[in-house]
Amino acid sequence: MTDMDKQQLRTALRKRRAALSPSWGQNRSHAAGEHVRSLDIWHSAKEVLLYWPVREELDVRPLVKELWDRSCRVLMPRCRPDEYGHMDIACASCEDDLIPGAFSILEPDAKRCPPVASCTPDLAIIPAVCFDRHGYRLGYGGGYYDRLLAGDAMRDTVKVGVGYAFQLIDALPVQPWDIPVDIICTDEEIWRP
Ligand code: ADP
Ligand code: MG
């Protein structure tokens, strides 16, 4: 698979995702969320990095709210406005902390939530355009999560990729900067590469 094939795969999968009905997406997001909830690490984690979904991404908002309810430290990435492909990590304590940032993604408001100086998330829940069964990830093409996962903070983090079942494919090309996830939860299965 070449870079061009990766781009074609991104286009095809995003098109498929965009065609989903909202009610189907909600139903399947709930099923995938139940798989996340069945993981031991979900219950033991004190500090979790995850995202607020945009467009047709798997809806993990119920998971985020559950973590807030149990007073877990909720970390979210925030795109750096001045540095393409790079994200800071900030701590959000409630939905009011989130405002639209780059790509209209809701992110922690920089005024209320400064970048955290240090963190060691026990768990990270990671979106993708797709994953393969070795745990490798295809993103939107900016390498954002590749850089994030390469950071020292994430070395011992249990990395859980989430997506719809059709977003899990057999194999992606592996590139030198790729860091695989440890577990993939879809609406149909829990896959351990
Ligand atoms: P995506 O993960 O969003 O699908 P790619 O894996 O194709 O995108 O990466 C996009 C670009 O980001 C590549 O050109 C790659 O060189 C760059 N990149 C990815 N990870 C890193 C990293 N850890 N350090 C520096 N550059 C990186
Ligand atoms: Mg990548």
Side-chain angles (χ1 to χ4, degrees):
M1 198 182 278
T2 63
D3 275 352
M4 199 141 89
D5 298 331
K6 271 173 72 173
Q7 199 47 47
Q8 280 172 353
L9 191 58
R10 282 188 189 103
T11 306
L13 284 166
R14 291 186 65 176
K15 220 163 152 181
R16 176 147 182 202
R17 219 171 54 176
L20 304 176
S21 82
S23 63
W24 187 91
Q26 281 305 305
N27 178 287
R28 299 290 87 201
S29 293
H30 177 74
E34 287 298 288
H35 285 146
V36 173
R37 288 187 183 95
S38 75
L39 303 174
D40 288 343
I41 187 71
W42 173 256
H43 299 279
S44 60
K46 303 274 183 290
E47 197 174 316
V48 180
L49 178 104
L50 69 182
Y51 66 98
W52 199 261
V54 68
R55 294 180 290 273
E56 300 79 23
E57 284 179 347
L58 192 88
D59 189 0
V60 294
R61 288 175 299 179
L63 296 177
V64 180
K65 289 174 183 168
E66 210 172 297
L67 295 177
W68 278 331
D69 286 344
R70 70 173 208 227
S71 302
C72 192
R73 189 174 193 222
V74 172
L75 303 169
M76 287 186 192
R78 176 172 59 226
C79 296
R80 285 192 200 150
D82 50 350
E83 220 177 336
Y84 180 82
H86 290 261
M87 301 192 284
D88 290 318
I89 297 176
C91 177
S93 308
C94 59
E95 208 171 326
D96 284 345
D97 276 349
L98 307 177
I99 59 160
F103 314 109
S104 306
I105 301 170
L106 284 187
E107 302 171 327
D109 181 354
K111 291 196 198 81
R112 297 164 65 128
C113 315
V116 296
S118 76
C119 63
T120 48
D122 313 290
L123 168 66
I125 297 192
I126 300 160
V129 171
C130 72
F131 292 98
D132 76 7
R133 292 201 180 263
H134 305 282
Y136 290 109
R137 174 180 182 279
L138 182 72
Y140 292 115
Y144 284 90
Y145 272 93
D146 294 313
R147 290 186 189 83
L148 192 78
L149 297 178
D152 264 355
M154 307 292 289
R155 208 182 38 217
D156 299 324
T157 303
V158 177
K159 301 167 189 77
V160 177
V162 291
Y164 298 109
F166 68 81
Q167 292 178 284
L168 179 53
I169 67 169
D170 285 339
L172 280 167
V174 181
Q175 289 167 306
W177 55 83
D178 282 325
I179 296 170
V181 297
D182 304 301
I183 303 173
I184 296 164
C185 291
T186 74
D187 47 320
E188 290 183 3
E189 63 184 307
I190 298 174
W191 177 260
R192 293 169 196 273

